[in-house]
Amino acid sequence: MLLLGEDVLILSHQHPDGDTLGSAFGLCFALQKCGKRARIECSDPIADRYDYLTDHYTEESFVPQMIVAVDIADTQLFGEKLWPYRDQVDLCIDHHPSNTHYARRVLLEADSAATAEVIYEVIKAMGVEFDPVMASAVYTGIATDTGCFRYTNVTARTHRIAADLYEKGAMAGMINRVMFETKSLSRIRMEQLVLSTMEYHFDNRCALIVVTLDAIEQTGITDSELDGISAIPRQIEGVQAGITLREKEGGYKISLRTSDNISATAVCSALGGGGHARAAGCFIAGNLEEAKGAILEALRPELEGK
Amino acid sequence: MLLLGEDVLILSHQHPDGDTLGSAFGLCFALQKCGKRARIECSDPIADRYDYLTDHYTEESFVPQMIVAVDIADTQLFGEKLWPYRDQVDLCIDHHPSNTHYARRVLLEADSAATAEVIYEVIKAMGVEFDPVMASAVYTGIATDTGCFRYTNVTARTHRIAADLYEKGAMAGMINRVMFETKSLSRIRMEQLVLSTMEYHFDNRCALIVVTLDAIEQTGITDSELDGISAIPRQIEGVQAGITLREKEGGYKISLRTSDNISATAVCSALGGGGHARAAGCFIAGNLEEAKGAILEALRPELEGK
């Protein structure tokens, strides 16, 4: 394999998710399988639910000859521990169109649903035969970055790779259960709390929930779990704009999710924020009633005009 | 295609789900595309969320020369309107191992994740080229019967067919959003009500929720939505037994979902019920405290012994 040398250090991004970890472990196991030394580093600890990967991982000690970053679009995502490597990355394998090209070489496939899709092709090109653990690693990246094949980033190729990974023994049933059918106690408690704050506006076309500082403290919920919470209002039938107001010091952080006909960016930009077409955010200073009033007013022309 | 004649009446089961409908519409559109007359009948109305299929359907009037049942394992599932056809089915296309072979011929593939997987092969064998609507119909059956590729019934073939349906123009993004990212107002209100009843037992290895008659009336939730509600307790991290107590006249209907190491059937059989290894049910006469006490006692040896 022309791209990869000996003694490879693989970097995963901070707050690691299934794609950066699945990509890193898949690549690491493949390199080790063809006799190279490889090691993974990450600024944050790896959650227990990835035990089926970490249990098969042996930390190898060596001075890296090559540094590969996987699924890291920007050095801002390196985190504290990896920060010293930010100028030393030989190769970045990624699927984010926003990749800042900080690495010497970049293998960027922006039409891949996950970096793990690119890793799949890399492992094939290396001529390494997939074993069940490698297949499970790559499957993890693909499944988690596509919401288990639900999102619009999925292509025919995504499914074709998944088919091959099933045949190579990927532990897909277990992975799907752990990643998609399991909620933490904190998450379930937070769901209860936010559902009791649910309000409907504009003939039920807008739903709104509130996450208080008190609720965050009480449940101990993590930021990535809160991201899932913000998706709840928009998922309600008929709701075109889902708002989450998250209490911060001095005001509220707004997360807005919209359906196809409403620009979340436009609404949030008008309030000094920004984001994507269907998911954007902003900060509104003031108390809860003021923040609610401001975001609902900003939404009014979008919802009443349509 | 040897199996299918002219003027075909296609039957879907009562309370139709995505697989029986996706299979029926896929087959119907394919038959019509190769110049045959075809019509679908079902004892219950088809929900609005399937508009992307029904909008393309033209009801054809004819005396059927052939009757095909899709995804109907047993005549008990015909419902009132289809009941007169129960002895006249020429062909049943299905994937349920429990199929009672009531039809003259049965095309049963028990290792298919969905009947729509079998329909995919039938359409291929008919030599009909898939168009986007036919692909969407078959995709609907596969996606809904696998929980969008999450369940353990998924195989490499399931993903390979999905890849092909993407290439044939299946409207997968829209279908996934409608089927998996949308909750009814009733469902979200019921979630709020049941989460407030959540109790943990046996060191958080058992979680329990209560669905009252009052909550059902207040939310107007349907039976199929309640099925999703019953899955909630077991989805909590660390929970090995999830219990839902549903208030009925004179007692409580228990739904028990368990993890691999606990037999739901054994626990529910001891209380006069039954079911599958990981999902079973029973009825306990008495008030709420009595019903809770009985199911928790029946579970005790399973949870304390393990």
Side-chain angles (χ1 to χ4, degrees):
Chain A
M1 171 66 186
L2 68 164
L3 282 167
L4 295 160
E6 302 290 326
D7 296 346
V8 182
L9 171 62
I10 303 166
L11 309 180
S12 277
H13 64 68
Q14 63 182 0
H15 312 305
D17 63 5
D19 195 20
T20 198
L21 292 175
S23 295
F25 281 100
L27 182 60
C28 183
F29 295 143
L31 286 165
Q32 292 177 341
K33 198 167 175 184
C34 59
K36 295 174 191 282
R37 290 193 294 186
R39 177 171 83 228
I40 298 168
E41 288 191 25
C42 182
S43 284
D44 293 301
I46 297 173
D48 291 346
R49 64 177 177 280
Y50 299 104
D51 279 354
Y52 61 94
L53 298 176
T54 52
D55 283 353
H56 294 274
Y57 173 69
T58 313
E59 178 88 25
E60 293 187 304
S61 176
F62 54 83
V63 176
Q65 303 293 306
M66 183 178 195
I67 299 180
V68 182
V70 290
D71 197 46
I72 313 186
D74 190 318
T75 52
Q76 297 301 320
L77 303 168
F78 274 46
E80 203 179 323
K81 191 180 144 199
L82 300 194
W83 190 239
Y85 297 126
R86 69 192 178 283
D87 295 326
Q88 299 172 39
V89 178
D90 297 292
L91 172 65
C92 175
I93 305 177
D94 194 15
H95 75 128
H96 295 95
S98 58
N99 190 292
T100 61
H101 290 258
Y102 57 85
R104 282 189 201 105
R105 282 177 299 173
V106 181
L107 177 54
L108 178 66
E109 291 191 13
D111 56 351
S112 289
T115 295
E117 269 195 40
V118 192
I119 295 290
Y120 171 86
E121 303 291 354
V122 168
I123 293 174
K124 290 281 233 189
M126 286 166 69
V128 178
E129 190 62 33
F130 275 91
D131 60 34
V133 178
M134 281 163 52
S136 297
V138 174
Y139 181 85
T140 299
I142 292 176
T144 55
D145 251 28
T146 59
C148 208
F149 307 93
R150 271 183 303 147
Y151 303 158
T152 50
N153 58 356
V154 172
T155 64
R157 187 176 74 162
T158 315
H159 278 293
R160 206 153 272 133
I161 294 173
D164 194 35
L165 296 172
Y166 264 76
E167 279 172 351
K168 298 298 193 291
M171 296 170 279
M174 178 276 292
I175 295 167
N176 294 345
R177 195 174 66 238
V178 169
M179 299 296 161
F180 307 109
E181 306 251 319
T182 308
K183 289 179 177 182
S184 71
L185 272 169
S186 321
R187 159 89 194 228
I188 209 95
R189 283 182 183 138
M190 183 56 90
E191 283 189 17
Q192 184 197 335
L193 293 172
V194 300
L195 287 177
S196 69
T197 71
M198 183 79 74
E199 285 178 18
Y200 298 94
H201 297 273
F202 303 110
D203 287 329
N204 292 354
R205 290 189 297 136
C206 169
L208 174 157
I209 56 172
V210 181
V211 177
T212 62
L213 283 172
D214 189 47
I216 292 173
E217 194 181 336
Q218 198 182 318
T219 59
I221 196 167
T222 64
D223 275 354
S224 72
E225 285 175 319
L226 267 179
D227 198 52
I229 293 286
S230 304
I232 294 175
R234 179 40 206 94
Q235 284 169 356
I236 301 167
E237 195 173 11
V239 168
Q240 297 170 305
I243 304 172
T244 304
L245 290 110
R246 180 173 166 185
E247 189 183 1
K248 293 275 179 184
E249 215 150 299
Y252 285 81
K253 187 176 160 238
I254 310 285
S255 162
L256 175 65
R257 310 277 179 106
T258 59
S259 58
D260 292 346
N261 56 338
I262 294 173
S263 166
T265 333
V267 173
C268 289
S269 299
L271 293 165
H276 302 286
R278 307 290 162 246
C282 58
F283 179 83
I284 302 179
N287 66 26
L288 181 57
E289 288 316 308
E290 289 163 341
K292 262 188 210 174
I295 181 67
L296 290 173
E297 274 317 301
L299 262 170
R300 183 179 300 280
E302 295 286 333
L303 280 165
E304 291 193 339
K306 280 158 191 179
Chain B
M1 172 63 186
L2 68 165
L3 282 168
L4 295 160
E6 301 291 325
D7 295 347
V8 182
L9 170 63
I10 303 166
L11 309 180
S12 278
H13 63 67
Q14 61 182 0
H15 312 304
D17 63 4
D19 195 22
T20 199
L21 292 175
S23 296
F25 281 100
L27 182 60
C28 183
F29 295 143
L31 286 165
Q32 292 177 341
K33 198 168 175 184
C34 59
K36 296 172 190 283
R37 291 193 293 187
R39 177 171 85 230
I40 298 169
E41 289 191 26
C42 182
S43 285
D44 293 302
I46 297 173
D48 291 345
R49 64 176 177 280
Y50 299 104
D51 278 355
Y52 61 93
L53 298 177
T54 52
D55 283 353
H56 294 273
Y57 172 70
T58 314
E59 178 89 23
E60 293 187 302
S61 177
F62 54 83
V63 176
Q65 303 294 306
M66 182 178 195
I67 300 179
V68 182
V70 290
D71 196 46
I72 313 185
D74 189 318
T75 51
Q76 297 301 319
L77 303 168
F78 274 45
E80 201 178 325
K81 190 179 143 200
L82 300 195
W83 190 239
Y85 297 125
R86 68 192 178 284
D87 293 327
Q88 300 171 37
V89 179
D90 296 293
L91 172 65
C92 175
I93 305 177
D94 194 16
H95 75 127
H96 294 95
S98 58
N99 190 291
T100 61
H101 291 257
Y102 58 85
R104 282 190 201 103
R105 281 178 299 173
V106 181
L107 177 54
L108 177 67
E109 290 192 13
D111 56 350
S112 289
T115 295
E117 268 195 41
V118 192
I119 295 290
Y120 171 85
E121 303 291 354
V122 168
I123 294 174
K124 290 281 231 191
M126 286 166 68
V128 178
E129 190 62 34
F130 275 91
D131 60 34
V133 178
M134 280 164 53
S136 296
V138 174
Y139 181 84
T140 299
I142 292 176
T144 55
D145 251 27
T146 59
C148 209
F149 307 93
R150 271 183 302 147
Y151 303 158
T152 50
N153 58 356
V154 172
T155 63
R157 186 176 74 161
T158 315
H159 277 292
R160 206 154 272 133
I161 293 173
D164 193 36
L165 296 172
Y166 265 75
E167 280 171 352
K168 298 298 193 290
M171 297 169 279
M174 177 276 291
I175 295 167
N176 294 343
R177 194 175 66 240
V178 169
M179 300 296 160
F180 307 110
E181 307 251 320
T182 308
K183 290 179 178 181
S184 72
L185 273 167
S186 322
R187 160 88 194 229
I188 208 95
R189 283 182 183 136
M190 183 56 91
E191 284 189 15
Q192 184 199 334
L193 293 173
V194 300
L195 287 177
S196 69
T197 70
M198 184 79 74
E199 286 178 18
Y200 298 94
H201 296 273
F202 303 110
D203 287 328
N204 292 353
R205 290 189 296 136
C206 169
L208 174 156
I209 56 173
V210 181
V211 178
T212 62
L213 283 172
D214 189 48
I216 292 174
E217 194 181 338
Q218 199 183 316
T219 59
I221 196 167
T222 64
D223 275 354
S224 72
E225 287 175 319
L226 267 180
D227 198 52
I229 293 286
S230 305
I232 294 175
R234 178 41 204 93
Q235 284 169 356
I236 301 167
E237 195 172 13
V239 168
Q240 297 169 303
I243 303 171
T244 304
L245 290 110
R246 180 173 166 186
E247 189 182 2
K248 292 275 179 185
E249 215 149 296
Y252 285 81
K253 187 176 160 238
I254 310 286
S255 161
L256 174 65
R257 309 275 180 109
T258 59
S259 58
D260 292 346
N261 56 339
I262 294 172
S263 167
T265 333
V267 173
C268 289
S269 298
L271 294 164
H276 302 286
R278 307 291 161 246
C282 59
F283 179 83
I284 303 179
N287 65 27
L288 181 58
E289 287 317 307
E290 289 164 341
K292 262 189 209 173
I295 181 68
L296 290 172
E297 273 318 300
L299 262 170
R300 181 180 301 281
E302 294 286 333
L303 280 165
E304 291 195 339
K306 278 159 191 177

